Amino acid sequence: MQRIEEIYWLRFYGCLAVFGYHFLDRLNQYLDNVYLDLARIPTVLGTPIFIFISIFLFSARYGDRPPPGFLVKRLQYVMVPYVVYGLIYALTKYTNLRREGVPAGLIDTLIEYLLYAGWHGYFLIIAMQFYAFYWLYSRYGLERWLPPGPWLVAGCLISIAYWGLTRHFDIEPPGYLLWIAPLGWIYLFFLAMLVVRHYPRLAPERLAEVTWLKWLSQPAFLLGFVAAVVLLTLRGDLEFSSKETWVVPFFVLFTFYVVTRLRNVRATPLVKFINRYSFGIYLAHPMFFAMVDFAHEFVPFSLLLYSLLLLVVGMAGSIAFNRAVNGIPWGGMLFGKTLYVPEAQHRTATQAR
């Protein structure tokens, strides 16, 4: 597998986007203005980036021949942390509700978090579904009936329709069940497969061989779309999450731009450092945010200090925790594996998680 340098940048951005989204959610309890809304725009790409990377790397690495035990290994490293962190967040929520005098049932809370995916780790269930779909797609040659080019267009329309109709009809099943349905994310699968198919021709010197992609990857399209989103934000017409109709074309244009422009841009030490702990940061940072909130109840902070503590404790705590648990047997499987990232020489390809 050749070196895929731009994946480092994508994972770095995706990790900070998810972290930033939840950070802004905390600030939104104390501030609610258009500037906070504008700050949310780049953060909505976080979850789609993680899903895209998961599909892209395995397809680029294994092609149409996923190795034996592929799904079993994915279950171990994806669904075990889902259960472990789900238990942690469920028990924390139950304890906090009881401490505040709010009636709460332990079993109901566990069902909400684990069965209904009612916490931010819902991403892991989405990823697992697409790992299974990739296995089927590769093993049974489904590309003959589902070619990634036409189905990227179809997938975008399906995902836009899914998010639009569920919002329009105010469909709200328990927990995050609405969010884990694959229809809302199907475009990411075909986008990843399409990029893998054309990857050798995405280098700047060969991009002219894929005329339509060269056209869509022009920065003018992405900048124009962002300008439209900013305008609609100023008008107060948009909601901000990765589960909105406008995020679908936004992410497609963003991805086309990144995979055609960052091919030869080497990742910096900071980018690679965040890559190494990105999975742990994604899973653990709300736990450390909650610690800051707990301290804030007893020793009220100024908004500036509160913000700084969220950033520092959330990031440093997540990294330190991930390093610590990966130093004990089974710790990586239980709490999120530290990713292998090659050193500065770049002699080894980016490994799939």
Side-chain angles (χ1 to χ4, degrees):
M1 177 179 170
Q2 69 186 100
R3 184 173 66 241
I4 304 178
E5 200 72 27
E6 56 271 34
I7 290 299
Y8 294 126
W9 292 100
L10 272 173
R11 190 185 286 121
F12 172 76
Y13 181 88
C15 180
L16 295 186
V18 171
F19 184 94
Y21 184 86
H22 293 145
F23 167 72
L24 293 173
D25 258 359
R26 288 298 206 283
L27 291 191
N28 195 224
Q29 300 174 32
Y30 306 94
L31 292 174
D32 188 7
N33 55 52
V34 70
Y35 302 107
L36 206 61
D37 290 339
L38 289 171
R40 289 177 183 275
I41 294 173
T43 69
V44 302
L45 300 178
T47 297
I49 284 175
F50 274 103
I51 299 171
F52 171 84
I53 288 175
S54 299
I55 305 162
F56 174 85
L57 283 179
F58 286 120
S59 180
R61 186 178 186 184
Y62 300 127
D64 60 355
R65 296 178 180 273
F70 172 78
L71 289 179
V72 172
K73 190 171 182 180
R74 292 304 97 210
L75 279 169
Q76 290 175 340
Y77 283 101
V78 172
M79 296 311 296
V80 172
Y82 171 82
V83 173
V84 171
Y85 277 98
L87 286 171
I88 292 172
Y89 287 116
L91 293 174
T92 301
K93 178 67 174 293
Y94 171 76
T95 302
N96 284 336
L97 290 175
R98 299 287 295 196
R99 182 171 60 86
E100 295 168 3
V102 178
L106 177 59
I107 300 301
D108 290 340
T109 306
L110 291 173
I111 289 174
E112 177 188 354
Y113 274 70
L114 296 177
L115 188 59
Y116 297 155
W119 63 289
H120 70 283
Y122 69 90
F123 147 78
L124 299 173
I125 296 182
I126 300 168
M128 194 64 228
Q129 292 178 87
F130 282 121
Y131 293 145
F133 187 35
Y134 160 69
W135 185 85
L136 291 170
Y137 192 83
S138 303
R139 184 177 180 86
Y140 295 103
L142 298 185
E143 185 174 350
R144 290 173 291 175
W145 296 281
L146 301 172
W151 271 90
L152 172 59
V153 178
C156 287
L157 295 176
I158 290 169
S159 295
I160 289 172
Y162 178 80
W163 297 123
L165 291 173
T166 52
R167 295 291 190 276
H168 179 73
F169 292 107
D170 198 24
I171 299 173
E172 293 187 10
Y176 292 164
L177 289 181
L178 181 69
W179 297 1
I180 65 174
L183 290 178
W185 312 97
I186 191 67
Y187 74 100
L188 295 170
F189 179 86
F190 292 107
L191 176 61
M193 301 303 287
L194 185 67
V195 172
V196 169
R197 171 192 277 189
H198 292 291
Y199 190 76
R201 297 187 289 174
L202 299 186
E205 62 273 13
R206 295 189 60 189
L207 189 55
E209 298 176 24
V210 193
T211 307
W212 62 269
L213 203 153
K214 179 181 179 181
W215 184 69
L216 285 176
S217 66
Q218 294 297 316
F221 284 96
L222 179 59
L223 291 174
F225 191 88
V226 171
V229 170
V230 169
L231 178 61
L232 292 172
T233 300
L234 294 174
R235 287 165 48 93
D237 294 336
L238 293 183
E239 298 291 334
F240 301 92
S241 80
S242 56
K243 281 74 65 177
E244 302 296 332
T245 56
W246 60 272
V247 175
V248 176
F250 184 22
F251 186 77
V252 172
L253 292 174
F254 167 81
T255 302
F256 284 156
Y257 177 79
V258 169
V259 298
T260 56
R261 296 302 192 279
L262 296 183
R263 172 68 65 92
N264 300 317
V265 181
R266 293 295 179 91
T268 66
L270 175 62
V271 169
K272 298 178 83 170
F273 179 82
I274 294 298
N275 266 255
R276 187 172 294 116
Y277 300 105
S278 57
F279 193 36
I281 293 169
Y282 183 96
L283 291 172
H285 70 273
M287 184 167 61
F288 291 94
F289 283 178
M291 294 178 185
V292 175
D293 286 336
F294 183 74
H296 187 39
E297 290 184 26
F298 300 95
V299 184
F301 310 122
S302 68
L303 184 58
L304 176 59
L305 180 57
Y306 175 69
S307 302
L308 290 174
L309 286 172
L310 286 177
L311 293 173
V312 174
V313 175
M315 183 62 69
S318 299
I319 292 171
F321 180 72
N322 192 247
R323 291 188 65 170
V325 297
N326 273 267
I328 62 176
W330 305 101
M333 182 181 295
L334 292 172
F335 296 99
K337 187 176 175 59
T338 297
L339 304 185
Y340 169 71
V341 178
E343 297 301 327
Q345 296 296 324
H346 298 283
R347 292 174 180 171
T348 310
T350 302
Q351 285 193 352
R353 185 171 69 225

